Amino acid sequence: MDILLQQIINGVVLGAIYALVALGYTMVYGILELINFAHGEILMIGAMVALSVMQMLAGSGLPGPLIVFAGLAVAIVVCMAVAFTVERVAYRPLRHAPRLAPLITAIGVSILLQNLAAIIWGKQYLPMPGVLAGTPFEIGGATMTTLQVFIVVLSGALMAGLLLLVQTTRLARVSIAFVIGAAMAAVAGVMVTAYYGQAHYYMGFLLGLKAFTAAVLGGIGNLAGAMLGGLLLGVIESLGAGYIGDLTFGFLGSHYQDVFAFFVLIMVLIFRPSGLLGEHVGERA
Amino acid sequence: MNVALKLSLSIATASLLLACGKSEPPAAPKVEEKPVAPAPAALEIVKIGLAAPLTGPQAHIGNDIKNGTQLGVDDLNAKGVEIGGKKVTLELIAEDDQADPKTATVVAQKLVDARVAGVVGHFNSGASIPASKIYADAGIPQISPSSTNPDYTLKGYPTTFRVVANDLQQGKVLGEYAVKKLGAKAVAVIDDKTPYGQGLADEVEKAIKASGGKVAAREHTTDKSVDFAAILTTIKGRKPDVVVFSGIDPQAGPMAKQMKALGIKAKFLGGDGWQTPNFIKLAGADAEGAMASVPGLPKDQMPGGKEFLDRFKAKYGAEVELYAPFGYDIVHVLVEAMKRAGSADPAKYLPEVGKTDYKGVIGPIAFDDKGDIKDGPMTIFVVKDGKWEPLETVGGATK
């Protein structure tokens, strides 16, 4: 039982990160009907920038959490600026172009950002400086670290804040959707870096694709759907990877972890293309 | 367009992107031709090929080998090499195989086409094995500094050599160490599904059983993953005393972190793929206590180790990651064979490679009839105070 609980906890932490990233896809889609494939790269840039800042401050004697916060703050600003620029330069001129044009542009931007990052930071896995000590503790036979709790709580707070913001104001401006999405991606990027202890110029790609899957699962364009989709996907992946070996008697193993996201994507597209909570499109500027 | 169609379109594009992502960076790897130190009016150039992952997650290990090999080439050029009465200049041609079996064969063909006299490489067993056929067809000697999968020398090619002990030996040492020295009753084994990782893990598993231990779990991941929470949770439920990971440091680093985060108290043990300074960087404080075996002697206990490490650091401003001294020695082994044969023509000097009896930085180098190194020792290291410390050396006169 504690193993099941542990797998679910792992899944929720992963899902919280997916959900944050999925929000970025969904907000832009809700307004522009554009799938911003460069969103994963915004996350990667957030992670890389934060890492550089943290590395600079690591020897300064400042307390660890403050260093992480500083990295996060710079990352958010940089990501918002990058997203804003990308929207202005790459997407806005194509506002009235056929739908495929911005989609292909998005893929182009994604490749461009990846290669820029590879030039700036190199192609190696960059280690996270040891500024955070995650203390493990037990709950109900499962183990969590303070970092994991922090990830889930911060994601929850950000998502709640966003929902509140959307309900009280009308955020139907394209650039605002991009910029808020980018800020969320920056936070997610720092979370991923802290959680796995490393960052890499290619890290945004698969993560972005999975977050996109989460957005589709919940119903693209639907904010609550993105959160639900993210959490569900995290848990499905975690349980899938954890039990596939036992269920197939060792025929398939946990290295098939990444397959689940895309299996879910295909199932959703076949049986419920509008997603669990239904799509939300049309609040256009 | 309805939603389903729109989405399918996007997904088709996404999978296209995925497919592109696989082959990224573009399939044609760069040739990095290093200018050779000012040659004293040398008439003939002898090209030595090098193939290793120079970009991607394992770039630090590949470049480590490249730098070590380059140092060997520079040293020999500085001393002056005479083959068959003619002064020659050595030139290193480094190719990036991206740790990818398909790219490895492309790169091997490029080296053959560039008419290299011999090849240092590849790093990964998964790359060395498919490439070995291409070198064998061209009759060019290939000496791997690091590929430990037993199959590499079992193809029967006369051109295939290595200067490390293979995984039959490493796996045996690791498995026995877990059960007999660490007193483990149950051991969990994880591999990265590469020929190196899986091959070594299979041997570890055999050795654990042969020593009277139990394999509590056998899990797989990939050489691209960073999330092992699911695997480790499954493993935690089986309560092993030791967790063995057979793979490379970009996975071992986060794995060590996630083990601690999940409260797994078992000891973390592995092979040569992650006995690197980079592992300690990636795992941070959670690297403490991790143990790994490496073919060969501890670097600073190698006969020429101390001096090599100092010179390497002075030249490249970095610590030796893993196999740099092996690359250094391989160049010397090749050149010594050429000197004895009086020719840099692979067809002429190949028989001499097999007769090598060379005292290198890493220790004595001689090959058995398969091309495996004779009497390769194995050392177990532990991370103590953020540094790899040798625990004990096994073998060296066995095999």
Side-chain angles (χ1 to χ4, degrees):
Chain A
M1 193 60 207
D2 51 344
I3 295 301
L4 180 66
L5 181 63
Q6 184 76 58
Q7 296 285 23
I8 291 174
I9 291 176
N10 299 342
V12 168
V13 176
L14 198 60
I17 297 174
Y18 288 160
L20 268 190
V21 188
L23 280 175
Y25 280 99
T26 248
M27 275 192 291
V28 168
Y29 190 88
I31 297 171
L32 265 190
E33 295 193 33
L34 163 72
I35 294 169
N36 178 17
F37 275 115
H39 192 58
E41 273 57 52
I42 300 284
L43 175 147
M44 174 271 294
I45 287 176
M48 293 299 211
V49 167
L51 202 71
S52 299
V53 173
M54 288 189 279
Q55 257 158 4
M56 262 189 281
L57 295 177
S60 65
L62 291 171
L66 195 67
I67 293 178
V68 176
F69 185 75
L72 186 61
V74 178
I76 290 177
V77 174
V78 172
C79 284
M80 286 169 117
V82 171
F84 185 79
T85 315
V86 166
E87 197 271 322
R88 280 295 152 103
V89 175
Y91 301 145
R92 183 157 297 193
L94 298 171
R95 189 66 54 81
H96 301 291
R99 191 185 301 279
L100 262 181
L103 188 72
I104 292 168
T105 307
I107 293 172
V109 171
S110 155
I111 295 171
L112 181 80
L113 291 179
Q114 262 175 31
N115 283 286
L116 270 180
I119 292 169
I120 299 174
W121 287 284
K123 291 184 165 184
Q124 316 240 0
Y125 278 60
L126 303 175
M128 160 101 180
V131 290
L132 273 189
T135 336
F137 60 90
E138 297 257 324
I139 56 167
T143 311
M144 273 190 102
T145 60
T146 39
L147 179 64
Q148 287 175 317
V149 176
F150 184 72
I151 288 177
V152 175
V153 170
L154 182 61
S155 296
L158 283 174
M159 290 187 276
L162 184 68
L163 275 187
L164 207 68
L165 195 69
V166 172
Q167 273 165 7
T168 49
T169 51
R170 283 193 62 81
L171 277 181
R173 289 272 313 273
V174 173
S175 44
I176 292 182
F178 268 93
V179 166
I180 291 183
M184 299 263 182
V187 177
V190 177
M191 285 175 177
V192 172
T193 309
Y195 190 39
Y196 297 126
Q198 58 183 9
H200 181 231
Y201 79 104
Y202 206 53
M203 67 188 280
F205 179 73
L206 191 60
L207 213 82
L209 227 45
K210 286 188 183 172
F212 166 67
T213 306
V216 175
L217 173 61
I220 192 129
N222 185 328
L223 290 187
M227 299 176 202
L228 179 69
L231 278 178
L232 267 181
L233 193 67
V235 174
I236 291 171
E237 258 193 38
S238 183
L239 291 179
Y243 291 103
I244 187 173
D246 293 344
L247 292 179
T248 58
F249 302 101
F251 178 64
L252 298 173
S254 45
H255 52 292
Y256 284 95
Q257 179 166 11
D258 291 340
V259 169
F260 295 104
F262 304 109
F263 180 72
V264 166
L265 182 62
I266 293 166
M267 288 300 122
V268 171
L269 289 177
I270 294 174
F271 295 108
R272 201 177 160 84
S274 59
L276 294 177
L277 300 188
E279 59 172 325
H280 254 267
V281 197
E283 298 167 29
R284 292 209 203 202
Chain B
M1 255 196 303
N2 67 28
V3 179
L5 194 61
K6 263 188 288 185
L7 286 176
S8 332
L9 191 67
S10 317
I11 287 143
T13 333
S15 30
L16 193 77
L17 198 63
L18 240 182
C20 300
K22 276 267 176 188
S23 64
E24 179 288 339
K30 273 178 277 174
V31 187
E32 295 184 29
E33 290 195 45
K34 279 265 161 135
V36 187
L43 294 171
E44 210 168 313
I45 289 181
V46 172
K47 292 178 186 166
I48 305 285
L50 175 135
L54 304 178
T55 60
Q58 298 169 17
H60 57 289
I61 299 175
N63 283 301
D64 183 57
I65 298 173
K66 184 182 141 202
N67 289 342
T69 310
Q70 183 69 51
L71 192 61
V73 166
D74 293 350
D75 277 5
L76 283 164
N77 280 335
K79 251 190 280 170
V81 183
E82 212 170 286
I83 295 170
K86 262 190 280 179
K87 266 191 112 42
V88 301
T89 302
L90 301 174
E91 184 187 346
L92 187 68
I93 301 186
E95 291 278 356
D96 177 14
D97 69 18
Q98 299 167 22
D100 175 52
K102 288 193 295 292
T103 313
T105 56
V106 175
V107 157
Q109 191 57 52
K110 280 182 85 173
L111 287 175
V112 168
D113 293 347
R115 300 190 173 280
V116 295
V119 173
V120 183
H122 298 210
F123 165 66
N124 310 76
S125 295
S128 287
I129 295 172
S132 66
K133 180 173 190 319
I134 292 169
Y135 301 125
D137 289 348
I140 295 173
Q142 171 197 12
I143 309 184
S144 170
S146 55
S147 294
T148 49
N149 188 304
D151 288 347
Y152 171 59
T153 49
L154 292 180
K155 303 271 175 202
Y157 300 138
T159 47
T160 308
F161 301 89
R162 67 175 135 210
V163 291
V164 286
N166 66 35
D167 289 338
L168 295 174
Q169 196 181 351
Q170 181 165 205
K172 190 160 173 278
V173 167
L174 270 177
E176 283 179 359
Y177 195 82
V179 176
K180 290 185 180 158
K181 287 282 168 65
L182 300 176
K185 291 192 176 62
V187 184
V189 181
I190 310 171
D191 71 62
D192 66 0
K193 272 272 167 190
T194 63
Y196 160 69
Q198 204 167 3
L200 177 59
D202 288 345
E203 296 304 326
V204 172
E205 209 178 314
K206 272 184 224 159
I208 291 168
K209 286 176 187 155
S211 317
K214 197 178 108 219
V215 177
R218 175 71 192 266
E219 295 283 337
H220 311 280
T221 179
T222 74
D223 58 349
K224 309 274 189 302
S225 307
V226 288
D227 188 332
F228 312 105
I231 300 178
L232 291 173
T233 300
T234 307
I235 284 176
K236 189 186 174 192
R238 310 270 169 84
K239 300 189 172 50
D241 307 303
V242 171
V243 174
V244 173
F245 173 60
S246 174
I248 313 282
D249 57 23
Q251 281 69 48
M255 195 178 284
K257 264 185 170 328
Q258 289 164 38
M259 272 178 68
K260 288 276 158 71
L262 282 167
I264 297 176
K265 303 274 193 308
K267 293 205 166 70
F268 193 37
L269 182 67
D272 54 321
W274 53 271
Q275 196 272 334
T276 58
N278 197 48
F279 165 72
I280 299 175
K281 275 189 225 147
L282 291 174
D286 297 332
E288 211 58 24
M291 286 175 284
S293 65
V294 183
L297 294 166
K299 276 172 267 192
D300 53 356
Q301 287 171 28
M302 289 173 178
K306 185 84 184 63
E307 194 213 341
F308 180 86
L309 294 182
D310 291 347
R311 290 180 51 223
F312 188 90
K313 192 158 187 198
K315 179 152 185 185
Y316 300 106
E319 300 284 346
V320 169
E321 287 279 354
L322 258 178
Y323 286 111
F326 293 72
Y328 182 89
D329 279 356
I330 292 172
V331 178
H332 285 81
V333 164
L334 287 171
V335 169
E336 286 299 316
M338 291 174 196
K339 280 187 186 167
R340 287 197 301 275
S343 167
D345 179 357
K348 300 217 173 85
Y349 87 89
L350 176 61
E352 290 295 332
V353 177
K355 294 180 203 155
T356 293
D357 182 11
Y358 178 72
K359 299 267 176 294
V361 171
I362 62 166
I365 298 175
F367 300 110
D368 66 11
D369 51 5
K370 291 203 306 290
D372 281 331
I373 190 166
K374 280 185 191 160
D375 302 338
M378 190 77 59
T379 307
I380 307 257
F381 287 81
V382 65
V383 180
K384 216 176 140 200
D385 302 324
K387 271 209 163 93
W388 285 106
E389 302 275 351
L391 261 183
E392 64 180 285
T393 300
V394 189
T398 52
K399 205 170 142 189

